[in-house]
């Protein structure tokens, strides 16, 4: 994943119980284009990565969460102009999968600094809970063991929304 991913995810590591560095089994990352068919690519990437890690049995739950996180990033977090400071287009969304011996984390980075919202936000009311859209974070909460988000710092802008899956022997 490189130092960029390590720096980006440091607040996530701080929010989790201590992890023995020797227990880290793997990490994988992919850039996703600013198109909704990127969700299919994210699922394919997830299937391949989980298969390499021997976690095929976790695919359904993890893929559902990945799909929701990527869809939310594409729907709510893309800038009007996707070019970076140098004028070149930047991949607006990145999917990171990280595996330790006892946990798996899916993290989606996007360029928006706005907190995740929708029907599962703290501002949820009875009136908006039944809306057809906005249930993605409810599904993320239901299918993962925990989830959260944090803004990026330093040279990176945007945020990371992550979901944690505990792995059982």
């Amino acid at each position: 994943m490189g130092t960029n991913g390590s720096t980006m995810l440091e607040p996530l590591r701080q929010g989790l119980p201590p992890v023995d560095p020797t227990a880290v089994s793997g990490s994988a990352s992919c850039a996703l284009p600013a198109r909704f068919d990127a969700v299919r690519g994210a699922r394919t990437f997830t299937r391949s990565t989980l298969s390499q890690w021997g976690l095929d049995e976790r695919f359904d739950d993890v893929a559902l969460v990945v799909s929701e996180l990527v869809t939310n990033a594409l729907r709510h977090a893309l800038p009007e102009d996707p070019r970076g400071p140098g004028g070149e287009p930047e991949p607006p969304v990145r999917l990171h999968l990280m595996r330790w011996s006892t946990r798996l984390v899916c993290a989606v980075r996007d360029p928006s600094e706005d907190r995740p919202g929708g029907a599962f936000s703290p501002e949820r009311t009875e009136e908006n809970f039944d809306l057809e859209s906005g249930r993605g974070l409810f599904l993320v909460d239901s299918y993962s063991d925990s989830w959260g988000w944090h803004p990026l710092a330093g040279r990176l802008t945007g945020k990371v929304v992550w979901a944690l899956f505990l792995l059982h022997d």
Side-chain angles (χ1 to χ4, degrees):
M1 179 171 12
T3 53
N4 196 18
S6 299
T7 302
M8 176 190 78
L9 296 172
E10 189 57 36
L12 169 60
R13 287 190 191 96
Q14 292 172 4
L16 294 173
V19 176
D20 177 359
T22 62
V24 175
S25 302
S27 65
S29 176
C30 71
L32 299 168
R35 299 185 314 265
F36 282 106
D37 65 343
V39 176
R40 182 176 358 171
R43 290 175 64 89
T44 300
F45 175 79
T46 300
R47 180 180 296 280
S48 172
T49 302
L50 293 183
S51 180
Q52 290 173 12
W53 292 343
L55 296 174
D56 294 303
E57 75 282 355
R58 297 306 304 262
F59 174 73
D60 290 337
D61 290 350
V62 174
L64 175 67
V65 168
V66 163
S67 295
E68 292 299 333
L69 293 179
V70 171
T71 297
N72 282 351
L74 293 170
R75 182 173 288 152
H76 302 293
L78 296 183
E80 294 279 328
D81 185 359
R83 290 181 295 213
E88 294 295 316
E90 290 184 351
V93 176
R94 286 198 73 85
L95 168 61
H96 300 270
L97 300 174
M98 293 146 292
R99 179 181 185 224
W100 290 266
S101 60
T102 60
R103 65 185 79 159
L104 171 71
V105 173
C106 306
V108 175
R109 172 183 161 192
D110 68 54
S112 172
E113 295 178 355
D114 295 337
R115 63 175 282 131
F120 201 65
S121 70
E123 297 82 24
R124 182 185 73 209
T125 65
E126 289 296 320
E127 296 83 46
N128 68 12
F129 188 70
D130 292 329
L131 295 175
E132 286 299 313
S133 66
R135 293 190 209 160
L137 293 177
F138 177 75
L139 292 173
V140 170
D141 186 65
S142 297
Y143 283 86
S144 66
D145 291 293
S146 66
W147 72 276
W149 76 282
H150 63 84
L152 298 174
R155 296 179 312 131
L156 301 172
T157 59
K159 70 176 173 296
V160 171
V161 183
W162 55 268
L164 170 74
F165 296 87
L166 297 177
L167 303 175
H168 308 285
D169 294 332

